[in-house]
Amino acid sequence: MPQTDTSAPVIKDQSDFYWESLSGGRLVFQYCLSCGEKRFPFRMSCSRCGSFEHAIEQSAGTGVVVSHTRVEKPLIGTFTKPYHVVLVELDEGVRMLGILQGTAPAPLIGKRVVASFNSESPSPLCFIPDGQSDAS
Ligand SMILES: [Zn+2]
């Protein structure tokens, strides 16, 4: 049976700026200078108009959970289990994945969350349910 690689993903290429921003506590996405389309993940050109001209915009880090899953068996060895992966639609209109910190409210879909940049978390991007300021 083949061994599963449990190391963290390698960060490279177009996503470098995103990961560097996260490590500095900033949540960013691309903004097309031609048509105004906001996009994430980072791409070389706009999927709406094809333009290569873009800028970087900083998110306020607030949004709503639109989907989630509970992971019982982590694929990356640094995660503790179980944990929730959440898909969050940020208030700026782009969607990002992160790890939920704190207590998962029920139902989780539709709950407001705030981005958290916990350097002790195995994921550089986490979301905390709005109002759970002391989550760990
Ligand atoms: Zn565009």
Side-chain angles (χ1 to χ4, degrees):
M1 174 181 249
Q3 286 276 339
T4 300
D5 182 4
T6 59
S7 59
V10 176
I11 299 168
K12 59 183 180 179
D13 300 329
Q14 295 176 54
S15 65
D16 284 354
F17 186 80
Y18 169 74
W19 294 107
E20 289 167 8
S21 296
L22 275 185
S23 67
R26 296 183 321 120
L27 190 56
V28 295
F29 57 89
Q30 287 178 316
Y31 175 89
C32 177
L33 291 174
S34 178
C35 74
E37 178 81 358
K38 296 173 182 177
R39 63 184 193 247
F40 183 84
F42 284 18
R43 292 185 287 271
M44 290 190 63
S45 64
C46 178
S47 59
R48 181 199 263 174
C49 74
S51 172
F52 288 89
E53 301 297 319
H54 69 270
I56 303 295
E57 190 168 315
Q58 184 169 344
S59 169
T62 54
V64 174
V65 175
V66 294
S67 186
H68 69 96
T69 188
R70 181 181 163 102
V71 178
E72 296 291 335
K73 184 176 181 184
L75 297 176
I76 297 175
T78 54
F79 283 86
T80 59
K81 59 180 179 180
Y83 63 93
H84 282 88
V85 176
V86 290
L87 177 62
V88 174
E89 182 159 317
L90 297 172
D91 293 341
E92 293 85 2
V94 295
R95 291 182 173 189
M96 293 189 183
L97 289 168
I99 303 299
L100 186 74
Q101 287 187 312
T103 305
L108 184 52
I109 293 176
K111 295 296 182 188
R112 292 209 47 88
V113 291
V114 179
S116 170
F117 310 97
N118 184 346
S119 62
E120 296 179 16
S121 168
S123 171
L125 178 58
C126 298
F127 290 96
I128 300 172
D130 206 9
Q132 292 185 21
S133 60
D134 60 346
S136 58

